[in-house]
């Protein structure tokens, strides 16, 4: 199934959900704008949370354990800007919708905390997108060049890199710098995911199943 077919299927299910919603049958208990904002918030939050969960704990680990290291790095250099852009946009929409539904002056303490969590996730993603990711990609390209000169990088895992770094000071220095930048990027990503996880707990408490 192609991308367009998948998109049309998703839109169809969405349209059916709207068709059978209480508002469609004349319920006036909630304004249409409020419903649309809640929908935007839920869809964008769930997209951000799901993407962060998959990339951080599942997809990235599977790729690292099964792809040649340079191929893995090149793929990550294309995927992460798109990933942080997606999560950043979703967080921005969630912040806007939640902020509109819960104005600061009339919001409860819990609601203010939740807005803070969403803003934190948004900020961490922007930091990754515009600061850490470009630095990481540039450092990765430089290290790949040195590794190709040493005829390594086509293997899976770090074993050959560590062996060569013991006798190649330049590669060892690059490993240290890359590790520091990548560590900061990973920390920002985890903090963003943690902020989203805190908001998921809040949303679960609001559900009436």
């Amino acid at each position: 199934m192609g991308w367009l077919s998948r998109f049309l299927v998703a839109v169809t299910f969405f349209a059916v959900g709207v068709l059978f919603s209480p508002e469609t049958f004349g319920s006036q208990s909630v304004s249409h704008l409020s419903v649309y904002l809640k929908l935007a918030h839920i869809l964008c939050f769930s997209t951000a949370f799901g993407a962060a969960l998959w990339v951080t704990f599942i997809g990235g680990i599977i790729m690292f354990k099964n792809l040649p290291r340079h191929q893995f790095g090149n793929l990550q250099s294309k995927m992460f800007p798109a990933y942080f852009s997606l999560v950043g946009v979703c967080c921005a929409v969630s912040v806007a919708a939640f902020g509109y539904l819960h104005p600061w002056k009339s919001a409860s303490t819990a609601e203010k905390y939740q807005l803070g969590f969403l803003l934190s996730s948004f900020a961490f993603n922007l930091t990754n997108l515009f600061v850490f990711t470009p630095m990481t990609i540039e450092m990765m390209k430089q290290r790949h060049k040195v590794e190709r000169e040493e005829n390594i990088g086509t293997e899976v895992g770090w074993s050959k890199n560590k062996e060569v770094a013991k006798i190649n000071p330049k590669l060892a220095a690059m490993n240290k710098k890359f590790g520091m930048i990548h560590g900061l990027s990973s920390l920002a990503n985890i903090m963003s995911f943690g902020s989203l996880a805190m908001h998921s707990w809040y949303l679960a408490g609001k559900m009436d199943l």
Side-chain angles (χ1 to χ4, degrees):
M1 182 181 289
W3 181 90
L4 180 59
S5 298
R6 296 175 186 177
F7 177 75
L8 291 175
V9 169
V11 170
T12 300
F13 276 103
F14 175 74
V16 171
V18 171
L19 181 63
F20 287 95
S21 68
E23 287 71 25
T24 304
F25 293 102
S27 171
Q28 301 299 322
S29 59
V30 184
S31 70
H32 286 292
L33 178 59
S34 176
V35 173
Y36 294 146
L37 288 173
K38 289 178 180 179
L39 176 63
H41 176 65
I42 291 295
L43 288 179
C44 288
F45 166 77
S46 58
T47 298
F49 186 81
L53 177 66
W54 174 262
V55 171
T56 304
F57 299 105
I58 303 173
I61 295 175
I62 292 175
M63 287 186 286
F64 178 75
K65 290 185 176 181
N66 291 276
L67 290 177
R69 192 157 48 76
H70 283 187
Q71 184 178 342
F72 167 75
N74 291 330
L75 176 60
Q76 294 287 74
S77 71
K78 304 298 182 183
M79 185 180 73
F80 271 107
Y83 160 63
F84 290 126
S85 297
L86 171 66
V87 176
V89 169
C90 287
C91 287
V93 174
S94 290
V95 166
F98 192 85
Y100 185 91
L101 291 167
H102 305 282
W104 186 263
K105 290 184 178 180
S106 59
S108 66
T109 301
E111 290 165 349
K112 291 179 179 179
Y113 274 120
Q114 294 309 311
L115 186 60
F117 287 135
L118 292 172
L119 282 169
S120 296
S121 183
F122 177 62
F124 283 126
N125 272 282
L126 285 187
T127 302
N128 251 327
L129 179 62
F130 293 113
V131 180
F132 295 137
T133 295
M135 293 172 64
T136 302
I137 292 174
E138 180 60 29
M139 193 68 233
M140 179 201 73
K141 290 179 178 179
Q142 294 178 18
R143 190 172 66 167
H144 280 189
K145 182 179 179 180
V146 173
E147 288 179 329
R148 282 192 294 269
E149 294 173 354
E150 297 286 350
N151 294 317
I152 62 174
T154 57
E155 74 284 353
V156 177
W158 287 103
S159 57
K160 289 187 178 181
N161 173 283
K162 291 181 178 179
E163 292 174 6
V164 174
K166 293 178 181 179
I167 56 175
N168 188 325
K170 184 177 181 180
L171 181 58
M174 285 185 168
N175 284 347
K176 184 176 181 180
K177 185 175 180 180
F178 178 84
M180 180 185 68
I181 299 172
H182 187 267
L184 291 173
S185 177
S186 297
L187 177 62
N189 186 52
I190 288 293
M191 293 298 289
S192 172
F193 178 79
S195 298
L196 292 174
M198 293 297 290
H199 189 61
S200 71
W201 183 261
Y202 167 82
L203 291 179
K206 292 294 182 179
M207 294 178 68
D208 186 14
L209 300 178

